[in-house]
Amino acid sequence: MNIYRYGEKYAQRLKRRREASIRMVRAFIRLAEIVIGGGGVVAYEWPKSSEGWFIPELLDFITRNGLLEATCSGCDFGMVDDDGVPFRKDWRIVTNHQRLATNIASRSCKHEHSFRHSPVQGKYTEGTAYYPMELCEC
């Protein structure tokens, strides 16, 4: 939608940002392979709907290492707008740590399907890029 709205200049900037993101994913994978090989714990997070989850190298890494998947929702961690209306920002986390995956998976949206969450847009977008303290503690 943004490419349609903002045109070719935006498309080029988005392409550069995606290329940089892929480089970071590849760097994470190289380091994570070393950590896993040494018996350590890794976790990788992105918004649940991110197209980055379809990067072939990341999919291969997740499969090859049998990582566990967990999703959670910002509304279950107390993320709200200025009026106290919860945000429904969903994260997906893959990890080789069973307890982390279990704890995260228990924190999905508990609202009824018809509940109207506050949209993550405008002045709220940047603030939702940070983890709520409850998620960090989880």
Side-chain angles (χ1 to χ4, degrees):
M1 184 62 177
N2 282 340
I3 292 172
Y4 173 77
R5 288 178 76 186
Y6 302 117
E8 187 58 32
K9 189 174 183 179
Y10 178 85
Q12 290 303 315
R13 192 171 80 219
L14 180 61
K15 181 181 177 191
R16 287 190 302 275
R17 288 174 48 206
R18 284 180 173 169
E19 289 168 350
S21 185
I22 289 171
R23 286 192 300 274
M24 286 189 277
V25 167
R26 289 176 179 153
F28 165 78
I29 290 170
R30 285 192 303 273
L31 180 59
E33 294 283 8
I34 294 167
V35 171
I36 291 170
V41 172
V42 298
Y44 192 84
E45 171 276 326
W46 254 337
K48 182 180 173 184
S49 63
S50 175
E51 289 182 21
W53 288 112
F54 299 102
I55 296 171
E57 294 96 331
L58 183 58
L59 290 170
D60 181 58
F61 167 75
I62 292 167
T63 302
R64 186 173 60 253
N65 289 288
L67 298 186
L68 306 166
E69 174 186 335
T71 58
C72 60
S73 301
C75 59
D76 202 55
F77 291 107
M79 290 179 69
V80 296
D81 67 13
D82 294 341
D83 297 320
V85 180
F87 289 114
R88 172 82 190 255
K89 176 165 183 176
D90 294 330
W91 287 284
R92 178 181 180 205
I93 298 170
V94 292
T95 182
N96 63 340
H97 193 276
Q98 180 66 55
R99 187 174 59 158
L100 174 61
T102 300
N103 288 348
I104 293 295
S106 72
R107 301 300 297 267
S108 61
C109 178
K110 310 278 189 303
H111 295 106
E112 292 182 20
H113 184 70
S114 62
F115 182 82
R116 304 281 262 170
H117 292 85
S118 183
V120 177
Q121 63 186 22
K123 71 178 187 176
Y124 297 117
T125 304
E126 186 176 342
T128 64
Y130 303 96
Y131 301 134
M133 186 53 68
E134 275 190 65
L135 174 57
C136 297
E137 292 168 352
C138 184

